[in-house]
């Protein structure tokens, strides 16, 4: 299923970070949270990568 998910900002692939429970978009510099097993792919909910 991960292959079907793309970043809503950059339209590139997302990488799953199990330790942080996030989907990471390196191209956009954003990490999207996963809450209760559901990815929250809203740019307003994403955190900026360091």
């Amino acid at each position: 299923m991960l292959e079907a998910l793309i970043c809503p900002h950059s339209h590139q692939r997302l990488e799953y970070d199990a330790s942080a429970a996030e989907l990471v978009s390196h191209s956009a510099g954003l990490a999207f949270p996963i809450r209760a097993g559901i990815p929250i792919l809203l740019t307003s909910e994403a955190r900026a990568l360091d």
Side-chain angles (χ1 to χ4, degrees):
M1 183 66 178
L2 182 59
E3 294 82 23
L5 297 175
I6 61 168
C7 173
H9 184 73
S10 68
H11 306 289
Q12 300 296 316
R13 290 189 70 206
L14 294 167
E15 179 182 311
Y16 177 57
D17 181 352
S19 64
E22 295 177 325
L23 293 173
V24 178
S25 172
H26 293 286
S27 59
L30 297 171
F32 298 91
I34 299 173
R35 297 185 187 130
I38 300 170
I40 310 299
L41 298 178
L42 299 171
T43 305
S44 61
E45 293 290 320
R47 71 170 182 86
L49 296 176
D50 297 332

